[in-house]
């Protein structure tokens, strides 16, 4: 019997489907020092964001029955992918499942920044009626949105933004032929995007080396830009962003991901011009169902072709 270890939870319907197909499914989270030994007892490991699968865990699982690791989500930066595959362990993810939910959250942060929804709601719960403090909001219609990383999530956000009357620009290291014509959204250079955009939303994988949003790139942006990050915390230099918020160079920021999670950067997440959420981009009922369904597809295709 094929044994599956699910460490970060999964949709109940997906678990039931796997069991009906004859898979032996265990749901249990392991401490980092226990994970490697546990992996040896299973044919496949399914993780989300919480479990980190590093080289030490893969070393512990070498020569065992483990053949497949699935990340239920878009990125795989919590898994040492190259090392796993070099040791005969296949790594897969579920890139389609959370596109809509993450794009919607990015748009929600844009609106929250423009109309002070996060800050105003907080002050009202404190019994304050600070109407005048929030009288200088901003409309997104007629503004320019630059999307860095134009994959599934970026494309969804771009279409939503166009429907709301925004001009949309896209930058991606690997442009897709024909996409500009199909969506009516042009690819531009990163330099042009930084210089022209009123809003910049990051949807790129985690970057090695320097963050995408750092002091150098912020300096090239328009004064009063709004920055949104629902991708990976490493894509933004948090101190550079905080400095730019304090100086007014950046008008506001919407953040769902952070360099350290849970974040302890109180100065950033408590800033009055920051709309923040605790990495909930894919946390909708619909996305969880889609993730589960895609995981079932991957497991079935791998073990029961």
């Amino acid at each position: 019997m094929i044994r599956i270890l699910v460490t970060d939870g999964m949709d109940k319907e997906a678990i039931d489907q796997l069991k009906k197909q004859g898979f032996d499914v265990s749901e249990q989270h392991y401490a980092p020092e226990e994970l490697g030994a546990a992996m040896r007892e299973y044919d496949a490991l399914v993780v989300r964001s919480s479990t980190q699968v590093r080289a030490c865990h893969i070393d512990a699982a070498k020569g065992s029955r483990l053949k497949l690791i699935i990340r239920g989500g878009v990125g795989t930066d919590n898994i040492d992918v190259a090392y796993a595959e070099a040791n005969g362990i296949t790594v897969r993810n579920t890139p389609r499942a959370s596109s809509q939910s993450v794009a919607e959250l990015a748009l929600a942060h844009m609106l929250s920044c423009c109309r002070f929804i996060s800050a105003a709601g907080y002050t009202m719960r404190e019994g304050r009626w600070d109407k005048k403090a929030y009288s200088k909001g901003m409309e997104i219609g007629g503004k320019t949105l630059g999307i860095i990383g134009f994959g599934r999530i970026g494309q969804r956000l771009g279409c939503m933004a166009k429907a709301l009357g925004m001009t949309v620009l896209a930058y991606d290291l690997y442009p897709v032929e024909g996409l500009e014509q199909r969506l009516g959204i042009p690819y531009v250079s990163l330099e042009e995007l930084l210089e022209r955009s009123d809003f910049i939303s990051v949807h790129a994988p985690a970057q090695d080396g320097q963050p995408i949003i750092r002091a150098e790139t912020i300096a090239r942006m328009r004064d009063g830009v709004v920055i949104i990050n629902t991708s990976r915390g490493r894509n933004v230099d948090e101190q550079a962003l905080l400095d730019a918020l304090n100086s007014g160079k950046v008008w506001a920021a919407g953040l769902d991901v952070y360099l350290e999670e849970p974040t302890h950067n109180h100065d950033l997440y408590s800033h009055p011009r920051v709309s923040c959420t605790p990495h909930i981009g894919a946390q909708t009922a619909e996305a969880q169902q889609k993730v589960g369904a895609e995981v079932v597809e991957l497991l079935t295709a791998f073990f029961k072709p």
Side-chain angles (χ1 to χ4, degrees):
M1 181 178 288
I2 303 298
R3 302 191 69 205
I4 313 296
L5 174 62
V6 178
T7 60
D8 299 330
M10 194 163 70
D11 180 66
K12 184 179 182 302
E13 184 176 338
I15 296 290
D16 291 343
Q17 288 181 22
L18 288 172
K19 290 179 177 179
K20 286 178 182 177
Q21 292 185 36
F23 290 100
D24 179 8
V25 183
S26 297
E27 295 183 82
Q28 184 173 344
H29 186 81
Y30 285 89
E33 63 273 14
E34 299 173 341
L35 179 63
M39 288 163 52
R40 296 185 60 83
E41 305 303 317
Y42 295 88
D43 300 279
L45 170 68
V46 180
V47 304
R48 296 296 302 274
S49 297
S50 181
T51 298
Q52 306 286 310
V53 186
R54 299 305 179 200
C56 60
H57 305 119
I58 295 162
D59 283 340
K62 281 181 185 177
S64 69
R65 61 192 295 173
L66 186 71
K67 295 294 182 289
L68 175 66
I69 300 172
I70 298 175
R71 157 77 161 97
V74 177
T76 55
D77 47 295
N78 58 321
I79 303 169
D80 286 343
V81 177
Y83 193 74
E85 296 194 332
N87 284 280
I89 301 171
T90 301
V91 179
R92 294 286 183 266
N93 65 343
T94 60
R96 304 190 308 268
S98 59
S99 300
Q100 183 73 18
S101 60
V102 177
E104 287 183 3
L105 182 65
L107 179 59
H109 275 301
M110 289 169 60
L111 293 167
S112 178
C113 287
C114 287
R115 300 310 302 273
F116 310 107
I117 294 170
S118 179
Y122 176 78
T123 55
M124 283 192 70
R125 286 189 290 274
E126 287 191 326
R128 293 152 54 191
W129 187 260
D130 292 343
K131 183 174 181 177
K132 288 185 179 179
Y134 307 121
S135 62
K136 300 291 185 180
M138 176 169 53
E139 296 179 2
I140 66 174
K143 303 299 192 304
T144 297
L145 167 65
I147 300 175
I148 300 176
F150 205 51
R152 291 179 177 86
I153 298 170
Q155 292 167 30
R156 296 282 182 90
L157 176 62
C159 292
M160 293 177 194
K162 281 190 66 180
L164 292 171
M166 301 188 82
T167 297
V168 182
L169 308 174
Y171 167 75
D172 198 283
L173 287 173
Y174 307 102
V176 177
E177 186 177 352
L179 193 60
E180 292 177 286
Q181 294 75 18
R182 190 165 80 247
L183 299 183
I185 297 173
Y187 285 110
V188 297
S189 67
L190 180 59
E191 292 74 15
E192 183 177 350
L193 184 147
L194 294 174
E195 292 168 2
R196 290 181 55 189
S197 300
D198 303 297
F199 294 76
I200 293 175
S201 192
V202 183
H203 299 282
Q207 301 295 299
D208 294 326
Q210 296 187 89
I212 298 169
I213 306 299
R214 56 188 189 275
E216 176 189 350
T217 52
I218 291 173
R220 304 183 70 169
M221 299 175 190
R222 289 184 172 185
D223 291 345
V225 68
V226 176
I227 295 174
I228 308 296
N229 187 23
T230 58
S231 60
R232 287 293 183 266
R234 297 210 314 265
N235 286 336
V236 172
D237 182 327
E238 293 184 351
Q239 187 58 53
L241 176 59
L242 185 59
D243 291 343
L245 285 162
N246 288 332
S247 72
K249 173 68 177 182
V250 172
W251 195 74
L255 304 173
D256 184 50
V257 291
Y258 309 88
L259 184 59
E260 179 187 17
E261 296 185 3
T263 180
H264 299 289
N265 194 340
H266 180 269
D267 289 343
L268 182 62
Y269 69 71
S270 65
H271 195 284
R273 292 289 181 125
V274 170
S275 172
C276 54
T277 46
H279 202 157
I280 60 170
Q283 302 302 310
T284 63
E286 294 86 352
Q288 298 307 305
Q289 291 171 354
K290 293 172 187 174
V291 167
E294 205 165 340
V295 168
V296 171
E297 289 178 14
L298 291 169
L299 287 167
T300 303
F302 191 88
F303 291 109
K304 298 183 178 183

